[in-house]
Amino acid sequence: MSRPSPGRQGERLTPQFNALVAAFAAERARFAEGTPDEVDPELVVVFDIAGSIQDFHNAIRRIDGLEFLSELLGDRAEPDDDFHMTERATGRTNKPVTHSLYLVMSNTQAVEQLLRLFAEWQRDPTASFERGLGKFKEAFQRLTAIRRWGPEDRIRETGLRERWQETLDMVGQSVSTVIVEVELWYRRDPSQRADTEAHTEQIITASGGTVLDRSQIDNIAYHALLAELPIQQVHSVLDDGAASIQLLVAEEVMFVSPFTPMTVAPPLLDPVAVVRLPRGTRVDGLPRVALLDGLPFPNHDALSGRLLVDDPDGLGENYPASSRNHGTAMASLIIHGDLSAPSDALHRPLYVRPIMRPHEFAAGSEQVLPNRLLTDLLHRVVRRIVEGEAGRSAAAPSVRIVNLSIGAQTRALVRRMSPVGRLLDWLAHSYNLLFVVSAGNHTDPITIPADAADDPATARLAVGRAVYEETLLRGILPPGDALNALTIGSIHEDGLGDIDVPDTAWDITYAGAPAHYGATGPGVGRSVKPDLHHIGGRALYLRPVAARDEKTVAVELAHTTISGPGLQVAAPGRAGATNNTVFDTGTSHATALVTREANRLFDVLEARATDADDGPFPDPQYHPLLVRALLAHASSWGDWEARIRRELGLTSPQARRQLTAFLGYGRLDVGRLGAAATNRAVLIAGGRIARNQRHTYELPLPPSLRARAEWHRFTITLAYMAPTVGVLTQYRGAKVYFTTPNMALAGGDRADAEHNTVRRGSLQHEIVQGTRAMVFRDGDNFPVHVECMDDAQRLRAQQSIRYALVVSVETAEQTSTTIHDEVRARLQQRVRDRARQRVQS
């Protein structure tokens, strides 16, 4: 990056520093007369840095009066004469310059010290700063702007203005209040947090508003209020700008977001399909799976005797059966799968904690509790499951899998991980839980050219192109952005079989392709999201009718709840009927089915090895990670890449990275779960690794593959519990990864997800396949090196990170049917040799 000279920085930034000094003076003038002189106003100051600076937040804390609050992703700016990227061979380029925003609480004294350091740097850029302040020299070189955090900053990425305008357009003057989530700057000092909250609440009540809920979660640096504001505040912002209301001017406020709890409409108010299931029998044992959702209909034949409902809030008292749709559907899928093709039911009870209630106005609809902050609600719910609350013991300490098929409808902040995503990352890491989370649905009509709506074939291509081009607008909904959770997308498939599609509808999605309604990635820091796709039900679209002068038409989802297609799920019936079903689709449904498969994998792991010569299975502490890794391990793109590249004409070098954001790790093949095959060997391991360590695993190479120019594939998947730093955009505290596989030894090339992207999250999945002959000697191994390094922070000396590793080798059945036995025999010999060495020693 080319940067301006110290002199040029002085010309650019001195007026901005002076404006900051003037802002502090103006704030002091606003103080009431009689305020002690030692009371110094505090303002949130933004350091807009070109690029990013490692450990700059630590340098900020070295200056008395500066408190580092957060780092956010800045906008990508067009290059100019001051800041631009250069290539060694070609010189200046047109590449945009990335920015980072460092948010700092400051007082007058601290700004004056910053001015002093800035002046010293201009006089002598090589001069040494005081210990710990050296990063400020780099900051002054890269500083594009220094300013206050203002009213527009507090709403720019939250969609508040747009949502409020939509509210007025839809309901006009028929509402008198709106609800917002006010996220406050998290202060390290508890007394400052108390003062911050009290002052913000005073602002809210002075405007005629009310605080409905409040939360402080120290482990994720979260501090927020849920507030109800009078509609006059909406008019002020829309008519006169963000600075017109005191809440958006308050220094204590980081973001103000529209609070729209997820609302789920029933697939059908009057289910008609009947499923012939025997009346449920009570299952015993401890629950392994928790469903956080709406309250199910417990008397349904598919659910009777199979639920353990924990309802400490008493939601069931005012939850009519006609509204118990979403929780009933999710419970049905987790327990039985698609009722069009049911399989063995769960042999343990399903723990259910309702976190939704009937919608106040929309008949049959449900919504996440509208008077609670979702982040705080989930925090309390999971702690109750694992630790207990109010002096009571844990509600379900045996739970290892948490299904979360709901989320936040408000769009995620693009500058950093959502609060509820940060919470799930911390809960997964702290309690060793597997969260299976839906990516979210985007069910708005899809706009295509009118001339493409003549027939299903051209419409299919046009819809696919429109969805791909809007990938960033159809992003993952929180908490699907969580790094340590398994985020699920949906594929266009179900168990209903062939159907007659009416003339008014189109089936314009390829069978088994990603569903057009599913949210797409990437995740935070361009990580892979969604992690994988699974069966979510086929969705039909209404055939559009274009007017003669229209250039575009909207393609809308059709309702297929009565006759299908879709996944067949249990539903509450009329007059207490206990065997009704409907057909429905969504990433929520795919998530429930993945949860079901995850539970089956826990059964396999807990059964342990049956042969005394086999090595022991990894300890149960690694099972949540192993299940997460095994699910990804059984996923691949298949024919998706070739078809999408062909249809969309993707030829650029960046296409694979773009496809990774669109496809994740591909579709889950349940036939590859829980068992190997004669032509495939699957190895699993679990461990703990500390910073700067390397663990090497050796996969015995099967002799039947030696020197054979036949198709073969190595698949390596690593999952770990990433510690996180909620105030930084880098976010991961540490990074665990396996190094680049030995491509020459593997005799193949990488397939599917882009190899740089797969290391950006906490789930790394790589496939190497080819037809080149593998050259190795008898007894040789394929090494896999797992390494750990610091990322956003330094791991302490005694701190280690849990990880799970899954490695497989396979070939076509016609090439070899002995790979599994060959690899297993060599591993068993390795176990015997180690046992013999222990006896001899």
Side-chain angles (χ1 to χ4, degrees):
M1 181 187 299
S2 177
R3 310 160 195 166
S5 66
R8 171 60 180 158
Q9 285 292 74
E11 294 174 12
R12 294 178 59 257
L13 298 174
T14 299
Q16 298 180 29
F17 274 110
N18 291 338
L20 267 185
V21 173
F24 277 102
E27 285 297 308
R28 173 166 289 281
R30 290 179 57 224
F31 280 9
E33 189 174 342
T35 301
D37 291 340
E38 62 269 18
V39 175
D40 197 358
E42 289 187 312
L43 300 179
V44 177
V45 175
V46 183
F47 290 81
D48 189 338
I49 301 289
S52 62
I53 301 177
Q54 185 77 23
D55 296 328
F56 183 42
H57 59 286
N58 292 326
I60 289 171
R61 292 182 175 128
R62 301 283 298 188
I63 292 183
D64 191 28
L66 290 187
E67 179 182 352
F68 176 75
L69 298 173
S70 185
E71 179 193 2
L72 305 177
L73 288 175
D75 296 321
R76 290 166 63 87
E78 292 299 316
D80 56 27
D81 290 340
D82 292 317
F83 294 95
H84 54 265
M85 307 303 294
T86 63
E87 296 286 353
R88 185 168 300 174
T90 59
R92 180 170 173 172
T93 72
N94 290 323
K95 292 180 180 179
V97 178
T98 60
H99 285 243
S100 298
L101 307 180
Y102 294 85
L103 289 304
V104 179
M105 188 67 78
S106 175
N107 58 24
T108 306
Q109 180 182 350
V111 168
E112 289 174 350
Q113 186 170 354
L114 277 178
L115 273 168
R116 178 182 61 80
L117 291 174
F118 184 60
E120 289 182 14
W121 175 74
Q122 288 184 82
R123 284 194 299 270
D124 183 3
T126 64
S128 297
F129 280 6
E130 301 167 29
R131 180 177 176 82
L133 300 182
K135 290 288 182 181
F136 276 95
K137 294 169 64 176
E138 185 177 358
F140 293 148
Q141 287 181 325
R142 294 171 174 257
L143 191 61
T144 62
I146 185 167
R147 60 179 177 81
R148 288 180 66 176
W149 184 253
E152 287 294 334
D153 295 307
R154 296 181 172 96
I155 65 172
R156 180 179 295 115
E157 299 295 341
T158 70
L160 182 79
R161 181 183 278 111
E162 295 82 358
R163 182 60 58 88
W164 279 1
Q165 186 63 61
E166 290 173 6
T167 300
L168 289 187
D169 292 342
M170 286 190 296
V171 298
Q173 304 301 316
S174 63
V175 297
S176 58
T177 60
V178 292
I179 300 179
V180 294
E181 179 176 351
V182 183
E183 191 173 354
L184 306 174
W185 297 109
Y186 183 84
R187 307 297 298 272
R188 294 196 301 273
D189 187 332
S191 63
Q192 289 179 323
R193 292 201 298 273
D195 291 343
T196 288
E197 185 172 310
H199 185 234
T200 307
E201 183 170 7
Q202 181 183 13
I203 291 172
I204 292 169
T205 55
S207 70
T210 306
V211 172
L212 304 175
D213 195 18
R214 62 193 76 224
S215 176
Q216 293 185 39
I217 305 176
D218 298 343
N219 293 292
I220 62 169
Y222 176 72
H223 190 186
L225 300 174
L226 186 66
E228 189 175 50
L229 302 178
I231 196 68
Q232 290 79 8
Q233 299 271 289
V234 174
H235 289 293
S236 294
V237 170
L238 296 180
D239 295 340
D240 303 317
S244 63
I245 66 172
Q246 188 60 33
L247 181 63
L248 296 181
V249 178
E251 292 296 319
E252 295 89 349
V253 173
M254 177 166 56
F255 294 117
V256 178
S257 307
F259 183 75
T260 309
M262 175 179 167
T263 299
V264 182
L268 190 70
L269 289 176
D270 190 11
V272 295
V274 174
V275 60
R276 300 299 180 186
L277 284 174
R279 182 71 176 167
T281 56
R282 181 169 298 280
V283 294
D284 298 318
L286 298 174
R288 181 190 287 139
V289 179
L291 172 64
L292 312 183
D293 209 279
L295 189 63
F297 177 47
N299 293 327
H300 196 284
D301 291 352
L303 308 182
S304 177
R306 298 183 177 278
L307 305 180
L308 179 59
V309 178
D310 181 19
D311 184 17
D313 300 322
L315 298 175
E317 298 171 7
N318 298 294
Y319 215 126
S322 60
S323 294
R324 300 187 182 192
N325 292 285
H326 200 262
T328 299
M330 297 304 107
S332 171
L333 289 167
I334 293 172
I335 294 172
H336 297 285
D338 185 355
L339 291 177
S340 295
S343 54
D344 293 341
L346 257 66
H347 61 274
R348 293 171 178 250
L350 174 65
Y351 173 89
V352 177
R353 170 64 188 269
I355 59 172
M356 303 179 80
R357 76 176 195 188
H359 197 281
E360 187 176 2
F361 305 111
S365 294
E366 302 162 272
Q367 67 178 167
V368 178
L369 298 184
N371 57 351
R372 298 283 303 276
L373 289 160
L374 178 59
T375 305
D376 189 72
L377 175 63
L378 292 179
H379 182 232
R380 293 176 183 272
V381 166
V382 175
R383 289 193 63 181
R384 176 184 173 86
I385 292 172
V386 179
E387 293 184 355
E389 65 177 349
R392 297 183 179 89
S393 58
S398 58
V399 163
R400 311 298 301 279
I401 309 167
V402 179
N403 184 100
L404 199 57
S405 289
I406 63 173
Q409 290 184 195
T410 303
R411 68 175 181 172
L413 296 175
V414 299
R415 295 185 188 270
R416 68 168 186 169
M417 178 73 73
S418 68
V420 69
R422 302 204 311 269
L423 174 73
L424 260 57
D425 284 332
W426 179 77
L427 291 172
H429 180 267
S430 300
Y431 296 137
N432 197 21
L433 295 171
L434 172 61
F435 285 91
V436 188
V437 184
S438 59
N441 300 321
H442 292 279
T443 57
D444 293 338
I446 302 169
T447 302
I448 64 172
D451 58 8
D454 294 334
D455 64 81
T458 55
R460 177 182 290 120
L461 291 173
V463 167
R465 185 173 294 109
V467 171
Y468 180 79
E469 290 173 352
E470 292 182 357
T471 295
L472 292 180
L473 300 177
R474 301 167 63 88
I476 302 294
L477 299 182
D481 53 351
L483 204 67
N484 289 332
L486 190 69
T487 304
I488 309 303
S490 184
I491 61 173
H492 183 72
E493 190 174 296
D494 53 54
L496 185 58
D498 294 335
I499 61 168
D500 293 327
V501 179
D503 291 338
T504 57
W506 278 342
D507 184 358
I508 53 175
T509 311
Y510 286 101
H516 294 316
Y517 54 75
T520 55
V524 169
R526 302 200 306 278
S527 60
V528 175
K529 289 290 174 181
D531 296 293
L532 54 93
H533 295 70
H534 194 38
I535 298 169
R538 287 174 290 171
L540 302 184
Y541 289 84
L542 295 174
R543 184 193 295 261
V545 178
R548 180 170 299 178
D549 57 344
E550 282 186 314
K551 294 184 178 180
T552 61
V553 294
V555 181
E556 301 185 26
L557 282 167
H559 296 290
T560 60
T561 54
I562 297 176
S563 58
L567 296 171
Q568 191 175 15
V569 297
R574 293 185 64 183
T578 61
N579 58 358
N580 286 171
T581 65
V582 295
F583 294 93
D584 205 1
T585 61
T587 57
S588 295
H589 304 67
T591 300
L593 290 178
V594 170
T595 296
R596 175 179 168 80
E597 297 299 334
N599 180 73
R600 186 161 67 90
L601 286 173
F602 267 94
D603 286 340
V604 173
L605 292 172
E606 291 177 3
R608 301 280 177 153
T610 56
D611 193 321
D613 288 334
D614 286 326
F617 269 22
D619 187 85
Q621 67 171 304
Y622 303 112
H623 288 183
L625 281 169
L626 273 169
V627 170
R628 185 172 164 224
L630 284 164
L631 288 164
H633 194 80
S635 303
S636 66
W637 288 3
D639 64 349
W640 286 358
E641 179 183 9
R643 193 188 70 245
I644 294 174
R645 279 182 178 270
R646 181 177 64 253
E647 292 182 351
L648 301 184
L650 302 179
T651 58
S652 71
Q654 291 77 34
R656 182 169 296 278
R657 182 187 303 167
Q658 296 164 351
L659 284 172
T660 301
F662 193 60
L663 303 176
Y665 288 130
R667 67 167 295 171
L668 173 63
D669 181 356
V670 298
R672 299 172 67 89
L673 290 176
T678 58
N679 62 321
R680 181 174 73 248
V682 183
L683 292 81
I684 62 174
R688 285 182 171 270
I689 191 168
R691 64 184 301 266
N692 297 332
Q693 285 187 347
R694 166 182 277 194
H695 295 176
T696 297
Y697 294 86
E698 295 182 329
L699 166 66
L701 288 168
S704 60
L705 286 184
R706 186 169 63 235
R708 299 189 66 175
E710 304 285 351
W711 178 88
H712 56 273
R713 176 163 63 189
F714 290 86
T715 306
I716 311 171
T717 309
L718 172 75
Y720 66 99
M721 289 293 190
T724 56
V725 187
V727 295
L728 299 178
T729 55
Q730 196 172 352
Y731 191 59
R732 287 184 310 189
K735 174 183 179 181
V736 180
Y737 61 98
F738 59 82
T739 56
T740 301
N742 187 329
M743 310 297 275
L745 180 58
D749 300 299
R750 284 192 174 93
D752 293 5
E754 199 263 340
H755 71 279
N756 289 314
T757 306
V758 300
R759 292 192 184 186
R760 295 183 177 276
S762 62
L763 180 64
Q764 182 183 357
H765 176 59
E766 294 196 40
I767 297 173
V768 178
Q769 62 184 12
T771 56
R772 297 193 297 272
M774 297 175 61
V775 180
F776 59 88
R777 295 171 299 182
D778 189 32
D780 280 356
N781 299 300
F782 185 79
V784 178
H785 305 294
V786 177
E787 303 198 21
C788 177
M789 60 182 289
D790 294 333
D791 205 3
Q793 63 184 12
R794 186 182 181 88
L795 276 179
R796 295 188 298 274
Q798 302 303 317
Q799 190 175 1
S800 60
I801 297 176
R802 280 190 303 271
Y803 71 89
L805 180 68
V806 182
V807 183
S808 66
V809 57
E810 63 186 298
T811 189
E813 287 187 29
Q814 60 267 31
T815 302
S816 173
T817 58
T818 60
I819 283 182
H820 180 271
D821 291 338
E822 290 170 5
V823 172
R824 186 175 188 180
R826 279 159 175 74
L827 288 175
Q828 289 176 335
Q829 184 60 48
R830 193 180 293 175
V831 171
R832 289 191 291 269
D833 291 344
R834 289 174 179 171
R836 190 178 303 112
Q837 291 172 2
R838 285 195 296 269
V839 171
Q840 293 173 349
S841 62

